[in-house]
Amino acid sequence: MPQLPAPDYPSEVRTRLESDARQIIGRYPDSRSALLPLLHLVQSEEGHVTRTGMRFCAEVLDLTTAEVTAVATFYSMYRRKPSGDYQVGVCTNTLCAVMGGDAIFDGLKEHLGVGNGETTGDGKVTLEHIECNAACDFAPVVMVNWEFFDNQTPESARRLVDDLRAGRPVEPTRGAPLCTFKETARILAGFPDERPGAVEATGGAGPASLVGLQLAKGEAPQPRVVHPRGAAPRDEPPGEHLSSHDAPQDTSASDPAHPAGPVSEEGE
């Protein structure tokens, strides 16, 4: 059966969202370009993109609901059903999986009693497996509302979700302080983060990830994380957040002293 038209927002909510929408649309020469941030805006209202939210976006941008739905269903960052205050994503892409991401994800499913994309009964945590977050230096990585929690273990991940559900303070490894999913969505819509210290908070990729960028800029790369074979170890710079798995492995391909000997290319 065809669905009935989506209900509208209550008048006071509609008025507030229209004011916010005008600010967003004013940033773009073509109003249609504002659709992505507007979807974040309506997601910040209800915690997911509802039919009412898509109707609102269509009306303020003079689009059809089909056009809005096509975009909202394409991007995984827009939730299509009620979700928790904290979106806990476990990277299960290749490196994180090998380093323990699969074990973390399986452990959290059992610990929370939910499956992929499901939310705990208290509405606090939605669990999902996610693709690469470009943080391989710090694998395995867990993200909460898009903030990084690096070098996780099954035990630390369980403590993390327990703290979230209990309302205890949780600090990301890098980046801004943690906030709720609705608050995150409003920031992604393009509104300033008013929390003290949030804008000043920073954090970046690890040394291995930045080497290519430094070379492209013509800069000297960072000191080696692992000292060259046969040389004395160097003191690491204080405060550097090094990866937990940068050391070369003692395999026949990397270690001349390995019983199998170094691997040579064909014809050498």
Side-chain angles (χ1 to χ4, degrees):
M1 293 291 293
Q3 285 185 314
L4 294 173
D8 200 357
Y9 287 117
S11 58
E12 67 278 6
V13 174
R14 172 96 188 192
T15 300
R16 173 167 46 81
L17 289 178
E18 284 178 341
S19 175
D20 290 339
R22 284 193 293 270
Q23 293 185 52
I24 294 173
I25 295 170
R27 301 170 189 156
Y28 299 92
D30 183 347
S31 63
R32 186 188 184 104
S33 300
L35 178 53
L36 295 181
L38 280 178
L39 286 169
H40 282 299
L41 175 65
V42 297
Q43 184 159 254
S44 74
E45 186 65 31
E46 299 179 84
H48 66 294
V49 177
T50 63
R51 293 174 60 235
T52 296
M54 287 189 283
R55 171 187 167 180
F56 173 81
C57 292
E59 290 175 350
V60 298
L61 295 177
D62 195 23
L63 299 173
T64 67
T65 53
E67 289 173 308
V68 175
T69 302
V71 174
T73 57
F74 181 81
Y75 294 102
S76 61
M77 58 191 175
Y78 300 121
R79 310 305 185 195
R80 297 299 309 285
K81 60 183 181 180
S83 56
D85 293 334
Y86 301 100
Q87 307 283 315
V88 176
V90 182
C91 182
T92 54
N93 216 319
T94 306
L95 183 57
C96 277
V98 169
M99 297 301 296
D102 284 344
I104 291 173
F105 186 60
D106 291 340
L108 288 182
K109 285 195 294 184
E110 180 179 356
H111 184 65
L112 295 172
V114 298
N116 182 48
E118 296 179 351
T119 303
T120 55
D122 57 7
K124 292 292 186 181
V125 170
T126 297
L127 178 67
E128 61 178 349
H129 72 80
I130 50 179
E131 293 300 317
C132 181
N133 286 290
C136 300
D137 290 35
F138 308 119
V141 172
V142 172
M143 298 195 81
V144 180
N145 295 348
W146 315 123
E147 300 294 347
F148 286 103
F149 290 80
D150 302 319
N151 294 317
Q152 292 293 295
T153 65
E155 294 74 21
S156 66
R158 285 196 296 270
R159 289 195 300 271
L160 172 61
V161 296
D162 286 347
D163 287 343
L164 292 173
R165 299 182 73 184
R168 290 187 286 268
V170 170
E171 293 293 330
T173 310
R174 296 171 281 145
L178 195 63
C179 59
T180 67
F181 184 63
K182 289 183 179 180
E183 292 169 328
T184 301
R186 184 170 176 82
I187 295 168
L188 291 174
F191 292 95
D193 189 341
E194 305 288 356
R195 296 173 298 155
V199 176
E200 292 77 16
T202 185
S209 294
L210 296 176
V211 169
L213 176 62
Q214 292 158 355
L215 292 174
K217 290 181 175 180
E219 301 173 357
Q222 292 288 331
R224 288 174 58 95
V225 176
V226 181
H227 63 275
R229 186 179 289 116
R234 304 178 188 176
D235 293 332
E236 301 296 349
E240 189 174 6
H241 187 179
L242 299 179
S243 167
S244 60
H245 52 86
D246 279 322
Q249 302 300 306
D250 291 336
T251 65
S252 59
S254 63
D255 186 2
H258 191 279
V263 174
S264 299
E265 296 291 336
E266 185 177 355
E268 291 185 347

XYZ file of all heavy atoms in Angstrom, residues 105-204:
754
model
N 34.711 -6.499 17.725
C 33.326 -6.426 17.273
C 32.502 -7.594 17.815
O 31.397 -7.406 18.329
C 33.293 -6.401 15.745
C 31.920 -6.190 15.173
C 31.198 -5.051 15.472
C 31.357 -7.127 14.325
C 29.934 -4.842 14.950
C 30.095 -6.930 13.792
C 29.381 -5.784 14.101
N 33.054 -8.804 17.729
C 32.332 -9.967 18.249
C 32.125 -9.853 19.758
O 31.061 -10.203 20.285
C 33.092 -11.250 17.916
C 33.069 -11.569 16.424
O 32.186 -11.035 15.722
O 33.936 -12.333 15.958
N 33.164 -9.352 20.460
C 33.042 -9.204 21.906
C 31.986 -8.187 22.292
O 31.236 -8.393 23.261
N 31.899 -7.074 21.545
C 30.896 -6.063 21.861
C 29.492 -6.540 21.541
O 28.538 -6.219 22.259
C 31.206 -4.763 21.111
C 32.413 -3.967 21.605
C 32.572 -2.685 20.801
C 32.298 -3.647 23.094
N 29.335 -7.301 20.477
C 28.010 -7.846 20.174
C 27.524 -8.716 21.328
O 26.353 -8.616 21.745
C 28.060 -8.668 18.876
C 28.145 -7.838 17.614
C 27.837 -8.660 16.370
C 28.893 -9.733 16.137
N 28.634 -10.470 14.873
N 28.398 -9.552 21.848
C 28.012 -10.418 22.968
C 27.787 -9.607 24.241
O 26.820 -9.822 24.973
C 29.085 -11.480 23.191
C 28.775 -12.427 24.326
C 29.847 -13.490 24.508
O 30.800 -13.529 23.706
O 29.742 -14.261 25.465
N 28.684 -8.649 24.493
C 28.615 -7.866 25.727
C 27.363 -6.988 25.767
O 26.710 -6.861 26.815
C 29.869 -6.998 25.841
C 29.964 -6.207 27.102
N 30.088 -6.787 28.348
C 29.937 -4.860 27.327
C 30.157 -5.854 29.282
N 30.055 -4.672 28.688
N 27.012 -6.389 24.625
C 25.862 -5.481 24.573
C 24.563 -6.200 24.252
O 23.478 -5.639 24.443
C 26.108 -4.387 23.522
C 27.265 -3.420 23.804
C 27.496 -2.522 22.592
C 26.990 -2.584 25.045
N 24.662 -7.405 23.715
C 23.460 -8.143 23.348
C 22.762 -7.591 22.128
O 21.530 -7.671 22.014
N 23.526 -6.999 21.206
C 22.959 -6.439 19.979
C 23.782 -6.912 18.791
O 24.931 -7.343 18.931
C 22.927 -4.896 20.006
C 22.039 -4.396 21.141
C 24.341 -4.321 20.137
N 23.198 -6.816 17.601
C 23.901 -7.135 16.370
C 24.330 -5.878 15.644
O 24.180 -4.747 16.147
N 24.841 -6.063 14.452
C 25.295 -4.929 13.655
C 24.134 -3.994 13.331
O 23.067 -4.418 12.872
C 25.925 -5.433 12.356
C 26.458 -4.292 11.510
O 27.149 -3.410 12.001
N 26.141 -4.301 10.227
N 24.323 -2.692 13.609
C 23.289 -1.702 13.335
C 22.163 -1.673 14.348
O 21.175 -0.955 14.145
N 22.306 -2.400 15.439
C 21.249 -2.431 16.454
C 21.629 -1.564 17.653
O 22.808 -1.273 17.890
C 20.985 -3.864 16.896
C 20.440 -4.748 15.766
C 20.202 -6.180 16.204
O 20.607 -6.549 17.329
O 19.606 -6.937 15.409
N 20.598 -1.202 18.431
C 20.772 -0.277 19.545
C 20.400 -0.958 20.859
O 19.445 -1.742 20.904
C 19.888 0.972 19.341
O 20.233 1.576 18.090
C 20.087 1.988 20.456
N 21.157 -0.650 21.900
C 20.868 -1.220 23.213
C 19.509 -0.736 23.713
O 19.018 0.325 23.308
C 21.959 -0.824 24.224
O 22.101 0.606 24.249
C 23.297 -1.449 23.842
N 18.916 -1.499 24.600
C 17.575 -1.191 25.087
C 17.467 0.151 25.780
O 16.386 0.758 25.802
N 18.572 0.648 26.353
C 18.525 1.942 27.028
C 18.688 3.107 26.060
O 18.667 4.273 26.469
C 19.580 2.019 28.126
C 21.003 1.779 27.609
O 21.193 1.692 26.373
O 21.929 1.650 28.433
N 18.858 2.816 24.767
C 18.992 3.869 23.771
C 20.319 4.588 23.777
O 20.473 5.627 23.124
N 21.306 4.033 24.461
C 22.587 4.720 24.593
C 23.557 4.417 23.452
O 24.249 5.305 22.958
C 23.246 4.341 25.926
C 22.522 4.860 27.147
C 22.604 6.369 27.242
C 22.016 6.883 28.540
N 22.079 8.366 28.625
N 23.658 3.144 23.052
C 24.716 2.723 22.129
C 24.128 2.007 20.922
O 23.317 1.089 21.068
C 25.725 1.799 22.840
C 26.694 1.158 21.835
C 26.509 2.572 23.895
N 24.536 2.439 19.738
C 24.285 1.697 18.503
C 25.618 1.135 18.032
O 26.592 1.880 17.900
C 23.679 2.601 17.417
O 22.406 3.072 17.853
C 23.511 1.839 16.107
N 25.656 -0.147 17.788
C 26.896 -0.822 17.394
C 26.877 -1.093 15.900
O 25.862 -1.532 15.356
C 27.050 -2.133 18.166
C 28.283 -2.985 17.834
C 29.559 -2.275 18.283
C 28.176 -4.354 18.495
N 28.005 -0.863 15.249
C 28.112 -1.182 13.834
C 29.567 -1.456 13.475
O 30.488 -0.956 14.118
C 27.582 -0.034 12.975
C 28.332 1.269 13.147
C 27.811 2.383 12.249
O 27.001 2.076 11.356
O 28.221 3.535 12.438
N 29.753 -2.269 12.448
C 31.104 -2.398 11.911
C 31.246 -1.391 10.789
O 30.297 -1.104 10.051
C 31.396 -3.825 11.435
C 30.691 -4.219 10.168
N 31.139 -3.858 8.915
C 29.579 -4.961 9.965
C 30.328 -4.347 7.997
N 29.364 -5.007 8.599
N 32.413 -0.794 10.671
C 32.629 0.273 9.699
C 33.859 -0.030 8.867
O 34.708 -0.851 9.249
C 32.776 1.639 10.401
C 33.800 1.565 11.525
C 31.451 2.115 10.944
C 34.004 2.876 12.247
N 33.939 0.635 7.733
C 35.076 0.461 6.838
C 36.238 1.328 7.294
O 36.163 2.039 8.283
C 34.648 0.796 5.413
C 33.640 -0.182 4.835
C 34.172 -1.610 4.782
O 35.349 -1.791 4.388
O 33.431 -2.537 5.142
N 37.315 1.286 6.528
C 38.572 1.935 6.919
C 38.368 3.396 7.285
O 37.695 4.139 6.571
C 39.573 1.816 5.773
S 41.170 2.549 6.159
N 38.955 3.809 8.389
C 38.896 5.194 8.833
C 40.220 5.917 8.673
O 40.454 6.946 9.299
C 38.450 5.256 10.294
C 36.978 4.974 10.427
O 36.133 5.761 10.036
N 36.654 3.811 10.960
N 41.110 5.355 7.839
C 42.406 5.989 7.559
C 43.190 6.225 8.844
O 43.831 7.263 9.017
C 42.215 7.284 6.779
N 43.133 5.273 9.748
C 43.872 5.379 11.005
C 44.656 4.091 11.248
O 44.767 3.625 12.379
C 42.926 5.655 12.159
N 45.193 3.527 10.172
C 45.838 2.216 10.270
C 47.043 2.227 11.205
O 47.426 1.181 11.737
C 46.267 1.734 8.886
S 44.904 1.546 7.716
N 47.669 3.401 11.394
C 48.799 3.473 12.327
C 48.397 3.051 13.733
O 49.246 2.630 14.518
C 49.323 4.908 12.415
C 50.020 5.356 11.158
O 49.584 4.946 10.068
O 50.994 6.103 11.259
N 47.119 3.201 14.045
C 46.666 2.981 15.417
C 45.661 1.837 15.518
O 44.823 1.808 16.407
C 46.030 4.266 15.960
C 46.912 5.477 15.815
C 46.502 6.563 15.059
C 48.157 5.526 16.421
C 47.313 7.678 14.912
C 48.971 6.628 16.279
C 48.550 7.710 15.533
N 45.746 0.904 14.583
C 44.813 -0.231 14.579
C 45.010 -1.127 15.798
O 46.125 -1.270 16.281
C 45.022 -1.048 13.300
N 43.907 -1.723 16.273
C 42.527 -1.598 15.817
C 41.852 -0.352 16.396
O 42.092 0.021 17.533
C 41.875 -2.879 16.330
C 42.663 -3.250 17.544
C 44.068 -2.798 17.289
N 41.000 0.255 15.573
C 40.393 1.536 15.908
C 38.890 1.374 16.127
O 38.218 0.654 15.390
C 40.649 2.559 14.783
C 39.854 3.834 15.017
C 42.132 2.875 14.691
N 38.400 2.038 17.155
C 36.964 2.163 17.399
C 36.627 3.646 17.305
O 37.400 4.499 17.758
C 36.582 1.618 18.790
C 35.130 1.921 19.122
C 36.831 0.114 18.858
N 35.491 3.968 16.680
C 35.052 5.356 16.616
C 33.722 5.502 17.347
O 32.864 4.627 17.250
C 34.891 5.823 15.173
C 36.174 5.801 14.374
S 36.044 6.754 12.837
C 36.299 8.410 13.462
N 33.590 6.599 18.078
C 32.328 6.925 18.746
C 31.901 8.295 18.246
O 32.607 9.290 18.463
C 32.479 6.931 20.279
C 31.143 7.271 20.932
C 33.005 5.598 20.780
N 30.779 8.341 17.542
C 30.300 9.593 16.939
C 31.404 10.281 16.139
O 31.592 11.496 16.212
C 29.724 10.537 18.009
C 28.488 9.959 18.656
O 27.917 8.980 18.197
N 28.065 10.566 19.758
N 32.179 9.467 15.405
C 33.244 9.891 14.491
C 34.505 10.364 15.211
O 35.406 10.911 14.554
C 32.756 10.976 13.516
C 31.437 10.691 12.902
C 30.324 11.462 12.932
C 31.063 9.521 12.151
N 29.285 10.863 12.265
C 29.716 9.669 11.772
C 31.737 8.357 11.773
C 29.016 8.720 11.039
C 31.031 7.405 11.057
C 29.699 7.582 10.689
N 34.610 10.170 16.511
C 35.849 10.496 17.225
C 36.661 9.213 17.435
O 36.108 8.142 17.666
C 35.555 11.166 18.572
C 34.769 12.470 18.478
C 35.523 13.593 17.778
O 36.753 13.465 17.562
O 34.883 14.596 17.425
N 37.988 9.344 17.388
C 38.883 8.191 17.404
C 39.175 7.664 18.809
O 39.469 8.435 19.724
C 40.223 8.556 16.759
C 40.168 8.674 15.263
C 40.139 9.927 14.660
C 40.146 7.549 14.459
C 40.085 10.042 13.278
C 40.099 7.650 13.082
C 40.071 8.906 12.491
N 39.124 6.355 18.916
C 39.630 5.640 20.086
C 40.595 4.594 19.539
O 40.186 3.586 18.968
C 38.478 5.011 20.874
C 37.611 6.025 21.567
C 36.635 6.716 20.872
C 37.805 6.320 22.913
C 35.844 7.670 21.494
C 37.020 7.276 23.551
C 36.031 7.958 22.841
N 41.900 4.887 19.700
C 42.948 4.122 19.026
C 43.442 2.940 19.840
O 43.274 2.887 21.067
C 44.146 5.036 18.736
C 43.779 6.238 17.881
O 43.002 6.086 16.929
O 44.295 7.335 18.178
N 44.096 2.011 19.126
C 44.799 0.887 19.769
C 43.918 0.183 20.799
O 44.315 -0.032 21.944
C 46.102 1.381 20.430
C 47.104 1.882 19.408
O 47.294 1.271 18.363
N 47.737 3.000 19.701
N 42.722 -0.172 20.378
C 41.771 -0.778 21.297
C 42.001 -2.282 21.438
O 42.658 -2.924 20.615
C 40.345 -0.533 20.803
C 39.908 0.915 20.878
C 39.782 1.408 22.306
O 38.932 0.941 23.064
N 40.626 2.354 22.679
N 41.464 -2.829 22.508
C 41.444 -4.265 22.760
C 40.003 -4.639 23.105
O 39.182 -3.752 23.400
C 42.357 -4.640 23.933
O 41.827 -4.047 25.143
C 43.789 -4.153 23.718
N 39.666 -5.925 23.082
C 38.313 -6.286 23.512
C 37.977 -5.773 24.904
O 36.852 -5.331 25.159
C 38.337 -7.819 23.447
C 39.319 -8.132 22.367
C 40.401 -7.084 22.519
N 38.957 -5.797 25.803
C 38.713 -5.349 27.176
C 38.498 -3.838 27.236
O 37.570 -3.344 27.897
C 39.888 -5.740 28.080
C 40.069 -7.233 28.277
C 40.663 -7.933 27.046
O 41.301 -7.239 26.210
O 40.488 -9.155 26.916
N 39.354 -3.062 26.552
C 39.204 -1.603 26.606
C 37.917 -1.166 25.913
O 37.275 -0.196 26.328
C 40.411 -0.916 25.961
O 40.484 -1.174 24.573
N 37.516 -1.873 24.845
C 36.281 -1.528 24.152
C 35.066 -1.793 25.043
O 34.097 -1.015 25.032
C 36.176 -2.313 22.850
N 35.100 -2.865 25.814
C 33.989 -3.128 26.737
C 33.910 -2.047 27.809
O 32.813 -1.591 28.164
C 34.141 -4.516 27.377
C 33.808 -5.660 26.446
C 33.606 -6.952 27.208
N 34.817 -7.400 27.877
C 35.726 -8.207 27.321
N 35.542 -8.641 26.080
N 36.789 -8.572 27.976
N 35.066 -1.628 28.330
C 35.055 -0.546 29.318
C 34.492 0.733 28.700
O 33.750 1.484 29.350
C 36.471 -0.292 29.854
C 36.998 -1.384 30.771
C 38.222 -0.904 31.546
N 39.313 -0.511 30.658
C 40.248 -1.343 30.211
N 40.217 -2.623 30.557
N 41.211 -0.902 29.434
N 34.853 0.983 27.449
C 34.386 2.187 26.762
C 32.860 2.221 26.687
O 32.226 3.218 27.060
C 34.993 2.237 25.357
C 34.470 3.314 24.414
C 34.738 4.708 24.975
C 35.115 3.166 23.037
N 32.250 1.145 26.205
C 30.784 1.164 26.068
C 30.104 1.166 27.440
O 29.036 1.765 27.603
C 30.281 -0.007 25.207
C 30.811 0.119 23.782
C 30.650 -1.361 25.794
N 30.723 0.520 28.435
C 30.142 0.560 29.781
C 30.149 1.987 30.326
O 29.176 2.430 30.960
C 30.923 -0.364 30.724
C 30.628 -1.837 30.473
O 29.651 -2.139 29.760
O 31.395 -2.696 30.974
N 31.249 2.713 30.079
C 31.320 4.107 30.534
C 30.289 4.973 29.814
O 29.655 5.842 30.424
C 32.728 4.664 30.295
C 33.755 4.097 31.267
O 33.348 3.540 32.308
O 34.965 4.202 30.977
N 30.115 4.739 28.517
C 29.125 5.513 27.762
C 27.729 5.277 28.309
O 26.948 6.225 28.493
C 29.185 5.134 26.286
C 30.441 5.538 25.510
C 30.415 4.927 24.111
C 30.576 7.050 25.427
N 27.403 4.047 28.584
C 26.053 3.732 29.065
C 25.826 4.244 30.484
O 24.698 4.596 30.844
C 25.825 2.226 28.997
C 25.916 1.650 27.598
C 25.643 0.170 27.559
N 24.215 -0.104 27.761
C 23.714 -1.335 27.839
N 24.516 -2.393 27.750
N 22.414 -1.513 28.012
N 26.905 4.305 31.269
C 26.772 4.769 32.654
C 26.857 6.286 32.771
O 26.665 6.833 33.862
C 27.850 4.123 33.517
N 27.168 6.980 31.669
C 27.275 8.435 31.719
C 28.583 8.937 32.283
O 28.687 10.124 32.641
N 29.584 8.047 32.352
C 30.884 8.484 32.846
C 31.643 9.215 31.731
O 31.481 8.907 30.553
C 31.695 7.284 33.351
C 31.133 6.675 34.632
C 32.051 5.613 35.195
N 31.998 4.377 34.425
C 31.183 3.353 34.701
N 30.322 3.438 35.713
N 31.208 2.254 33.965
N 32.522 10.180 32.095
C 33.254 10.930 31.071
C 34.178 10.017 30.269
O 34.842 9.136 30.836
C 34.060 11.970 31.860
C 33.734 11.773 33.291
C 32.802 10.633 33.448
N 34.220 10.230 28.975
C 35.047 9.441 28.064
C 35.814 10.410 27.180
O 35.227 11.337 26.618
C 34.171 8.505 27.207
C 34.992 7.866 26.108
C 33.528 7.431 28.069
N 37.126 10.214 27.057
C 37.958 11.107 26.257
C 38.489 10.368 25.037
O 39.135 9.331 25.162
C 39.139 11.626 27.087
C 38.747 12.548 28.230
C 38.173 13.861 27.733
O 38.577 14.295 26.625
O 37.330 14.449 28.438
N 38.240 10.884 23.830
C 38.826 10.276 22.631
C 40.349 10.342 22.665
O 40.937 11.169 23.368
C 38.264 11.130 21.493
C 37.071 11.816 22.061
C 37.369 12.013 23.515
N 40.975 9.476 21.910
C 42.428 9.492 21.817
C 42.925 10.761 21.154
O 43.951 11.324 21.528
C 42.923 8.283 21.000
O 42.318 7.100 21.505
C 44.435 8.147 21.079
N 42.216 11.203 20.131
C 42.581 12.408 19.385
C 41.309 13.178 19.071
O 40.221 12.641 19.070
C 43.254 12.030 18.048
C 44.560 11.292 18.190
C 45.044 10.777 16.833
N 44.345 9.561 16.429
C 44.033 9.262 15.175
N 44.317 10.104 14.216
N 43.436 8.130 14.888
N 41.498 14.473 18.811
C 40.370 15.263 18.351
C 39.546 15.877 19.456
O 39.940 15.915 20.620
N 38.366 16.346 19.061
C 37.511 17.103 19.978
C 36.906 16.210 21.046
O 36.816 14.996 20.879
C 36.398 17.782 19.181
N 36.473 16.795 22.160
C 35.777 16.018 23.184
C 34.520 15.373 22.605
O 33.939 15.857 21.634
C 35.418 17.064 24.247
C 36.332 18.207 23.989
C 36.623 18.208 22.535
N 34.105 14.294 23.213
C 32.956 13.539 22.735
C 31.654 14.279 23.037
O 31.511 14.917 24.081
C 32.939 12.167 23.401
C 32.023 11.105 22.787
C 32.453 10.777 21.364
C 32.034 9.853 23.648
N 30.714 14.212 22.104
C 29.365 14.718 22.346
C 28.368 13.718 21.791
O 28.755 12.711 21.199
C 29.173 16.105 21.718
S 29.427 16.173 19.937
N 27.088 13.960 21.976
C 26.080 13.006 21.538
C 25.971 13.008 20.014
O 26.449 13.924 19.334
C 24.703 13.329 22.137
O 24.244 14.575 21.585
C 24.775 13.420 23.650
N 25.292 11.997 19.492
C 25.146 11.885 18.045
C 24.350 13.055 17.481
O 24.668 13.578 16.410
C 24.471 10.562 17.695
C 24.374 10.322 16.214
C 25.504 10.202 15.427
C 23.128 10.220 15.594
C 25.420 9.995 14.056
C 23.028 10.009 14.234
C 24.179 9.893 13.462
N 23.311 13.489 18.176
C 22.538 14.640 17.701
C 23.406 15.897 17.665
O 23.330 16.688 16.714
C 21.316 14.869 18.599
C 20.221 13.829 18.456
C 19.028 14.179 19.337
C 17.909 13.167 19.206
N 16.751 13.509 20.064
N 24.221 16.091 18.695
C 25.110 17.254 18.709
C 26.140 17.169 17.591
O 26.458 18.175 16.940
C 25.799 17.361 20.064
C 24.863 17.702 21.207
C 25.510 17.543 22.577
O 26.372 16.657 22.737
O 25.128 18.308 23.483
N 26.644 15.971 17.345
C 27.585 15.779 16.245
C 26.939 16.115 14.908
O 27.549 16.755 14.050
C 28.089 14.327 16.226
O 28.727 14.026 17.469
C 29.079 14.097 15.100
N 25.692 15.681 14.726
C 25.001 15.944 13.468
C 24.831 17.438 13.233
O 24.963 17.923 12.093
C 23.646 15.247 13.472
N 24.555 18.193 14.273
C 24.400 19.649 14.097
C 25.731 20.290 13.715
O 25.770 21.207 12.888
C 23.840 20.281 15.373
C 23.576 21.778 15.211
C 22.799 22.381 16.362
N 22.655 23.816 16.190
C 21.732 24.388 15.438
N 20.856 23.652 14.786
N 21.658 25.712 15.331
N 26.821 19.818 14.295
C 28.135 20.338 13.915
C 28.428 20.014 12.450
O 28.922 20.856 11.690
C 29.225 19.758 14.834
C 29.020 20.251 16.269
C 30.621 20.141 14.341
C 29.859 19.516 17.302
N 28.083 18.787 12.022
C 28.297 18.406 10.632
C 27.408 19.197 9.682
O 27.724 19.340 8.494
C 28.050 16.904 10.460
C 29.079 15.987 11.128
C 28.653 14.532 11.007
C 30.459 16.189 10.516
N 26.298 19.713 10.186
C 25.446 20.573 9.369
C 26.092 21.930 9.118
O 25.619 22.691 8.273
C 24.081 20.757 10.036
N 27.165 22.230 9.854
C 27.907 23.458 9.620
C 27.767 24.515 10.674
O 28.187 25.656 10.477
N 27.205 24.147 11.824
C 27.056 25.123 12.897
C 28.234 25.013 13.860
O 28.771 23.916 14.073
C 25.733 24.920 13.623
C 24.547 25.257 12.766
C 23.889 24.268 12.047
C 24.124 26.566 12.637
C 22.817 24.576 11.232
C 23.051 26.889 11.820
C 22.398 25.896 11.116
N 28.657 26.120 14.450
C 29.871 26.097 15.281
C 29.710 25.234 16.525
O 28.616 25.119 17.086
C 30.066 27.576 15.652
C 28.726 28.212 15.468
C 28.057 27.463 14.360
N 30.811 24.629 16.907
C 30.864 23.851 18.140
C 31.174 24.829 19.268
O 32.282 25.361 19.362
C 31.950 22.779 18.028
C 31.922 21.785 19.173
O 31.326 22.108 20.219
O 32.504 20.697 19.038
N 30.193 25.079 20.107
C 30.317 26.103 21.148
C 30.968 25.599 22.423
O 31.186 26.366 23.356
C 28.925 26.674 21.488
C 28.146 27.218 20.294
C 28.712 28.529 19.773
O 29.663 29.051 20.396
O 28.201 29.020 18.748
N 31.298 24.322 22.496
C 31.841 23.780 23.740
C 33.238 24.320 23.997
O 34.065 24.390 23.086
C 31.872 22.252 23.684
C 30.492 21.614 23.580
C 30.609 20.115 23.354
N 31.292 19.826 22.101
C 31.960 18.701 21.851
N 32.026 17.764 22.767
N 32.541 18.514 20.679
N 33.546 24.698 25.236
C 34.882 25.234 25.550
C 35.974 24.234 25.197
O 35.928 23.064 25.569
C 34.819 25.465 27.069
C 33.361 25.594 27.381
C 32.656 24.692 26.415
N 36.960 24.691 24.435
C 38.118 23.873 24.100
C 37.919 22.917 22.951
O 38.881 22.284 22.499
N 36.695 22.807 22.429
C 36.446 21.815 21.383
C 37.167 22.162 20.090
O 37.739 21.293 19.430
C 34.947 21.678 21.137
N 37.154 23.427 19.705
C 37.778 23.831 18.445
C 39.295 23.724 18.539
O 39.970 23.361 17.568
C 37.356 25.264 18.079
C 38.082 25.741 16.825
C 35.844 25.330 17.876
N 39.836 24.017 19.713
C 41.289 23.981 19.876
C 41.828 22.558 19.934
O 43.017 22.327 19.684
C 41.694 24.728 21.149
C 41.455 26.231 21.104
C 39.998 26.608 21.296
O 39.216 25.741 21.761
O 39.628 27.742 20.981
N 40.984 21.600 20.282
C 41.439 20.210 20.378
C 41.916 19.735 19.007
O 41.357 20.090 17.974
C 40.310 19.316 20.874
N 42.952 18.942 19.009
C 43.533 18.524 17.744
C 44.047 17.107 17.839
O 44.028 16.476 18.883
C 44.664 19.489 17.335
O 45.141 19.123 16.031
C 45.832 19.391 18.315
N 44.538 16.628 16.744
C 45.091 15.288 16.657
C 45.212 14.927 15.196
O 44.443 15.400 14.361
N 46.210 14.118 14.872
C 46.426 13.794 13.471
C 46.767 12.346 13.268
O 46.684 11.521 14.180
